[in-house]
């Protein structure tokens, strides 16, 4: 029987942590871009657009991320596409993140006083100009803290990609647990690594929030 | 053209129903116990001794900064090496309660902190004991203020319970797994179950919005 030293376990998990970080980054960037598009749709005066976006958000916030992952994974297969776990997880987490980010940012845009819209309308700015020069710069200031906070949510969400077979930190922890028969140790290590990744972000988000309110 | 076959999946309705039953049961237990735990922790973080405050603070941060699936695996696979062997259902409830407790702690704490000073002074001048002040004067309006946030968190925990299928708790998502391997209709199984979760989330919000003001804090 092969013996694994603590150092072996730790370096193996650190290697897998890279994939958690990579997947989180993909989901955050992709989700941010899609979310921004949805946010524009939400506020543009298009018939039905606001309702459609609201339903999109409701569907992602009202169903388990795990089921969303399975649906994308098997849905891609139905469409005849390659179902690599990474692709499925990346697509699913991007959509998931976009729904939450749209909702978070909507709150931030709503926090901008109505007078700002009226003033910019009276300056004959069109919708794109209003957003670009008046609303978004101010909303951005409000949005930073909750957006950083949501990053923690995304990182924790990537743990579920292990279920469709993507080897990131959680999956690596399962493999270590199976190989060493030491689930206690394996999951403590994995938990601490997630904590090391998430806690600084939580702390930063909290600090930004306090500074904004101060 | 892709052909769907929802009928084969729906024919397995007893399994779906059993899964739904367990999901609802898990949620009911953890919502109740989690809210109680969260309220106790919120009280501890505001009024406890320095040691208690630090311990509860560490618990909250640890839970909020690690994924639920790791908490569940740790409880179900890890704790037996300490001699604590739990059934699948017990492990699921424990994980959900610990998870909700940490989030509810912060939510309730935010509510408690916004109590106007005048109300505390009024309670004091009526010679209420600290416990009476907390349970009659401070807590009910605080719960009323944070109710929407708490309800959202309970729904998040309910949706999170889908992960309990990974330790083979036979809840709703596990029913989808079983049906999909039985009928080879994966996409349809997951679509149907996802739909049930969506309806459940909407219904749960309605229910809690109805229950809260009537039974948990009376708002007049």
């Amino acid at each position: 029987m092969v013996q694994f030293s603590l150092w072996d376990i730790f370096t193996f998990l650190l290697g897998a942590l890279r994939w958690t970080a990579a997947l989180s980054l993909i989901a955050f960037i992709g989700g941010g871009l899609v979310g921004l598009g949805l946010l524009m749709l939400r506020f543009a005066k298009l018939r039905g657009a606001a309702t459609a976006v609201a339903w999109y958000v409701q569907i992602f916030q009202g169903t388990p991320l795990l089921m969303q992952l399975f649906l994308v994974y098997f849905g891609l297969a139905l469409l005849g596409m390659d179902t690599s776990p990474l692709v499925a997880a990346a697509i699913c987490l991007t959509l998931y993140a976009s729904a939450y980010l749209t909702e978070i940012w909507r709150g931030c845009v709503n926090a901008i006083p109505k007078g700002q819209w009226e003033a910019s309308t009276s300056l004959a700015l069109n919708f794109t100009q209003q957003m670009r020069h008046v609303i978004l710069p101010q909303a951005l200031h409000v949005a930073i803290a909750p957006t950083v906070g949501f990053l923690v949510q995304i990182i924790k969400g990537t743990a579920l990609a292990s279920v469709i077979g993507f080897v990131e930190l959680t999956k690596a922890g399962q493999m270590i647990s199976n190989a060493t028969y030491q689930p206690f140790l394996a999951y403590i290590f994995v938990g601490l690594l997630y904590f090391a990744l998430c806690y600084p972000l939580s702390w930063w988000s909290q600090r930004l929030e306090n500074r904004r309110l101060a | 053209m892709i052909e769907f076959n929802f009928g084969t999946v729906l024919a397995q309705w007893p399994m779906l129903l059993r899964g739904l039953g367990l999901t609802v049961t898990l949620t009911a237990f953890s919502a109740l116990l989690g809210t109680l735990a969260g309220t106790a922790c919120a009280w501890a973080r505001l009024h406890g001794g320095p040691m208690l405050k630090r311990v509860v603070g560490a618990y909250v941060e640890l839970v909020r900064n690690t994924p639920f699936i790791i908490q569940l695996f740790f409880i179900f696979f890890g704790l037996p090496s300490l001699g604590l062997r739990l059934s699948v259902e017990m492990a699921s409830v424990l994980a959900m309660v610990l998870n909700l407790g940490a989030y509810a702690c912060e939510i309730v704490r935010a509510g408690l902190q916004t109590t106007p000073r005048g109300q505390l002074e009024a309670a004091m001048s009526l010679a209420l004991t600290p416990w009476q002040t907390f349970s009659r004067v401070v807590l009910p309006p605080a719960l009323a203020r944070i109710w929407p946030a708490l309800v959202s968190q309970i729904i998040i925990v309910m949706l999170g319970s889908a992960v309990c299928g990974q330790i083979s708790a036979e809840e709703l998502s596990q029913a989808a797994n079983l049906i999909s391997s039985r009928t080879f209709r994966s996409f349809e199984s997951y679509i149907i179950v996802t739909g049930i979760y969506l309806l459940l989330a909407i219904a749960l919000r309605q229910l809690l919005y109805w229950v809260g003001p009537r039974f948990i804090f009376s708002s007049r």
Side-chain angles (χ1 to χ4, degrees):
Chain A
M1 191 182 142
V2 189
Q3 285 294 324
F4 298 91
S5 70
L6 283 183
W7 179 246
D8 292 336
I9 295 177
F10 192 68
T11 46
F12 182 71
L13 290 178
L14 266 187
L17 186 70
R18 283 179 315 186
W19 288 105
T20 290
L23 187 56
S24 307
L25 216 60
I26 295 173
F28 181 66
I29 293 171
L33 292 175
V34 178
L36 202 61
L38 289 170
L39 185 72
M40 295 297 138
L41 266 181
R42 188 75 175 67
F43 284 97
K45 294 192 172 47
L46 284 172
R47 269 172 66 93
T51 324
V53 175
W55 267 103
Y56 178 85
V57 172
Q58 167 78 64
I59 285 172
F60 280 95
Q61 294 193 341
T63 59
L65 178 58
L66 187 63
M67 293 296 104
Q68 295 164 19
L69 264 170
F70 277 126
L71 278 177
V72 172
Y73 190 58
F74 291 110
L76 288 179
L78 274 187
L79 294 174
M81 278 174 65
D82 161 45
T83 51
S84 89
L86 173 60
V87 172
I91 292 178
C92 176
L93 283 163
T94 295
L95 296 177
Y96 168 82
S98 74
Y100 277 82
L101 286 173
T102 304
E103 191 63 5
I104 292 171
W105 292 341
R106 183 177 74 93
C108 298
V109 170
N110 280 340
I112 306 301
K114 227 170 119 71
Q116 299 281 330
W117 286 98
E118 291 164 356
S120 52
T121 309
S122 70
L123 289 172
L125 299 185
N126 64 30
F127 175 72
T128 324
Q129 289 169 326
Q130 280 180 314
M131 274 291 187
R132 165 87 182 71
H133 297 291
V134 182
I135 305 300
L136 287 188
Q138 301 182 71
L140 191 68
H141 188 64
V142 191
I144 293 177
T147 306
V148 172
F150 181 66
L151 253 171
V152 174
Q153 209 72 7
I154 295 183
I155 293 173
K156 291 189 293 177
T158 61
L160 294 184
S162 64
V163 175
I164 57 169
F166 181 59
V167 184
E168 38 63 77
L169 188 49
T170 300
K171 188 77 188 169
Q174 282 177 305
M175 289 155 74
I176 290 282
S177 156
N178 292 340
T180 61
Y181 303 109
Q182 287 186 311
F184 188 79
L185 203 64
Y187 290 122
I188 286 229
F189 266 162
V190 171
L192 286 179
L193 282 174
Y194 273 111
F195 186 80
L197 209 55
C198 294
Y199 185 68
L201 290 169
S202 296
W203 182 82
W204 185 29
S205 157
Q206 192 66 48
R207 227 176 63 122
L208 287 167
E209 188 69 37
N210 293 342
R211 195 189 302 164
R212 191 175 71 76
L213 296 176
Chain B
M1 187 62 206
I2 305 162
E3 284 195 27
F4 291 110
N5 191 342
F6 289 104
T8 339
V9 175
L10 287 174
Q12 306 280 338
W13 62 267
M15 216 167 198
L16 288 173
L17 212 59
R18 266 206 307 279
L20 180 64
L22 185 55
T23 293
V24 170
T25 315
L26 289 177
T27 307
F29 273 103
S30 47
L32 196 66
L33 298 176
T35 306
L36 287 176
T39 308
C41 288
W43 182 87
R45 282 200 90 170
L46 290 175
H47 305 291
M51 188 63 195
L52 187 61
K53 271 184 189 165
R54 206 164 303 156
V55 170
V56 174
Y59 153 67
V60 168
E61 291 303 339
L62 268 176
V63 168
R64 285 172 18 125
N65 288 298
T66 51
F68 176 68
I69 190 170
I70 294 298
Q71 296 158 14
L72 183 70
F73 283 177
F74 177 75
I75 288 173
F76 187 67
F77 296 117
L79 287 188
S81 40
L82 292 185
L84 185 63
R85 199 174 294 277
L86 295 167
S87 74
V88 171
E89 290 79 13
M90 282 299 288
S92 304
V93 168
L94 183 60
M96 287 166 78
V97 168
L98 284 178
N99 191 277
L100 179 58
Y103 286 93
C105 170
E106 292 305 278
I107 295 173
V108 174
R109 188 169 70 126
L112 295 178
Q113 274 174 331
T114 51
T115 306
R117 256 196 88 75
Q119 302 213 346
L120 294 177
E121 289 161 359
M124 217 182 284
S125 68
L126 287 172
L128 297 187
T129 65
W131 171 245
Q132 284 174 326
T133 309
F134 182 74
S135 63
R136 304 278 173 82
V137 179
V138 177
L139 191 56
L143 279 178
R145 278 193 293 272
I146 51 94
W147 196 242
L150 190 62
V151 169
S152 293
Q153 195 59 46
I154 290 173
I155 291 173
I156 289 173
V157 169
M158 183 273 282
L159 298 173
S161 77
V163 174
C164 298
Q166 295 304 310
I167 58 169
S168 17
E170 298 206 352
E171 41 71 59
L172 199 46
S173 80
Q174 179 69 352
N177 292 336
L178 295 175
I179 293 173
S180 109
S181 55
R182 217 183 244 190
T183 62
F184 301 105
R185 289 285 168 188
S186 311
F187 190 74
E188 289 91 329
S189 314
Y190 291 115
I191 273 278
I192 287 173
V193 166
T194 307
I196 298 179
Y197 272 114
L198 184 60
L199 294 178
L200 198 57
I202 294 170
L204 186 56
R205 189 180 295 275
Q206 295 295 325
L207 176 74
L208 289 176
Y209 276 0
W210 184 82
V211 165
R214 278 169 191 77
F215 302 105
I216 299 179
F217 48 88
S218 46
S219 61
R220 264 173 290 183

